[in-house]
């Protein structure tokens, strides 16, 4: 019987779902970045420095989410912690949206953040990334 290595195992469902959701978040944030670029170019008056900073933040976030999704799909264990941090950032954003009267958007963001953290720390994901005891 041949030994089973981490690379020969199929990607577990929770890790595959986390990668797909990270990529979906990257696309959504990328669309927000495109809208911000359009707004920057068509605004009549603006604080240029602030507008460019917010736009750069959105572009950088989209790139980071996409890169983390790719790294996790290649089972790079070091990508998990930054991905968790980015997902935890959704909690205060969602909370302030709820406080500002946008509960319809804030609650799903909080649920997404918590759900993603759950996927990223689940047992199958831990084993796929090499954390914990690999034997059953």
């Amino acid at each position: 019987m041949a030994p089973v290595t981490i690379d020969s195992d199929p990607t577990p469902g929770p890790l595959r779902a986390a990668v797909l959701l990270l990529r979906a978040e990257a696309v959504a944030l990328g669309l927000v970045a495109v809208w911000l670029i359009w707004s920057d170019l068509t605004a009549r008056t603006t604080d240029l420095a602030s507008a460019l900073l917010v736009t750069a933040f959105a572009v950088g976030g989209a790139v980071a989410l996409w890169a983390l999704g790719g790294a996790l799909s290649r089972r790079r264990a070091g990508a998990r912690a930054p991905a968790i941090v980015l997902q935890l950032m959704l909690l205060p954003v969602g909370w302030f949206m709820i406080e500002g009267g946008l509960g319809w958007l804030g609650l799903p963001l909080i649920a997404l953040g918590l759900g993603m953290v759950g996927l990223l720390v689940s047992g199958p994901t831990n084993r796929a990334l090499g954390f914990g005891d690999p034997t059953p």
Side-chain angles (χ1 to χ4, degrees):
M1 178 190 252
V4 176
T5 64
I6 291 175
D7 292 334
S8 67
D9 291 341
T11 303
L15 180 57
R16 188 172 33 257
V19 167
L20 290 174
L21 286 170
L22 281 169
R23 295 276 171 94
E25 289 175 12
V27 169
L29 192 53
L31 291 173
V32 169
V34 168
W35 177 78
L36 286 169
I37 291 168
W38 176 256
S39 295
D40 291 346
L41 294 173
T42 60
R44 291 184 187 266
T45 60
T46 185
D47 176 6
L48 184 60
S50 294
L52 293 177
L53 185 63
V54 169
T55 303
F57 185 78
V59 169
V63 169
L65 287 167
W66 190 268
L68 288 170
L72 285 171
S73 71
R74 291 186 306 277
R75 298 183 184 201
R76 302 291 189 250
R80 184 172 77 160
I84 289 172
V85 168
L86 288 178
Q87 298 310 305
L88 290 176
M89 288 175 63
L90 291 175
L91 302 181
V93 171
W95 176 257
F96 284 111
M97 285 183 153
I98 292 169
E99 291 289 315
L102 295 173
W104 62 271
L105 186 56
L107 282 174
L109 282 179
I110 290 173
L112 175 64
L114 292 174
M116 282 291 294
V117 170
L119 290 172
L120 290 168
V121 299
S122 69
T125 299
N126 283 341
R127 285 187 293 281
L129 296 177
F131 295 110
D133 184 19
T135 59

